[in-house]
Amino acid sequence: MSAGAAAGRTFFRRFWESDTGPRTVHFWAPTLKWGLVFAGISDMYRPAEKLSGTQNLSLMATGVIWTRWSFVIKPKNYLLASVNFFLGTTASLQLARIASYRLKQGDSASEVVKYIVTGKTDNSKK
C-alpha cells in the first residue's frame, strides 16, 4: 500500500471513530440542518414582502446561540458551529432584506422592528 493510501485510510479511520464522526448524532444533526441553510439561500429569490420576519428572527437567534454553544460543549463540534454560523448569516441577510423593503415602503424604524417581531403592520396610516 502506498503512503498516500495509508494516510487516507488513517484519516478515514480517525474520522469514523471520532466523537463527532458519522456514527454519532453529533455528525448527522448538523449535516441534516444544512437543509435549513439551503432553504434560506433559495429564499433569496423570493420577494422580500413574502418573507417571514419572525421565522428569520428565530433562525438568526438559533444560529447565533448554537454557534457559540458548539465551542462550549464537549466534544467541540465544528460541523455544528459551521452550519449554525451560516444559518444565522443567511437569516440575518433575509432580515436585512425585509427591513430594507419595509423602509422603502415608508415605515419608520420602530414600525420595521414591530413588523419583524409580530408580523403585523399599522394599516391605519396608509
Side-chain angles (χ1 to χ4, degrees):
M1 183 175 351
S2 71
R9 185 177 180 138
T10 302
F11 169 78
F12 181 76
R13 184 176 198 102
R14 279 194 331 258
F15 171 65
W16 183 258
E17 294 174 355
S18 76
D19 290 338
T20 57
R23 296 186 334 171
T24 68
V25 70
H26 302 291
F27 175 81
W28 290 107
T31 299
L32 296 175
K33 197 170 187 178
W34 278 102
L36 293 173
V37 176
F38 297 139
I41 292 169
S42 72
D43 280 350
M44 293 291 184
Y45 298 105
R46 293 180 76 192
E49 65 268 16
K50 300 282 186 185
L51 298 174
S52 169
T54 53
Q55 173 184 330
N56 282 292
L57 188 61
S58 66
L59 288 172
M60 184 191 71
T62 297
V64 170
I65 291 167
W66 281 99
T67 298
R68 172 66 180 120
W69 189 247
S70 300
F71 295 111
V72 175
I73 60 174
K74 301 286 186 221
K76 289 183 181 175
N77 195 331
Y78 298 106
L79 181 60
L80 184 63
S82 67
V83 71
N84 282 298
F85 173 79
F86 284 105
L87 181 63
T89 302
T90 304
S92 296
L93 291 171
Q94 298 295 19
L95 287 171
R97 288 183 60 217
I98 293 168
S100 175
Y101 171 76
R102 299 304 304 179
L103 289 169
K104 287 179 185 173
Q105 296 300 309
D107 288 356
S108 67
S110 63
E111 290 171 324
V112 170
V113 170
K114 180 181 176 185
Y115 175 77
I116 288 173
V117 171
T118 65
K120 299 175 183 168
T121 60
D122 182 14
N123 291 331
S124 62
K125 72 172 192 163
K126 295 185 173 152

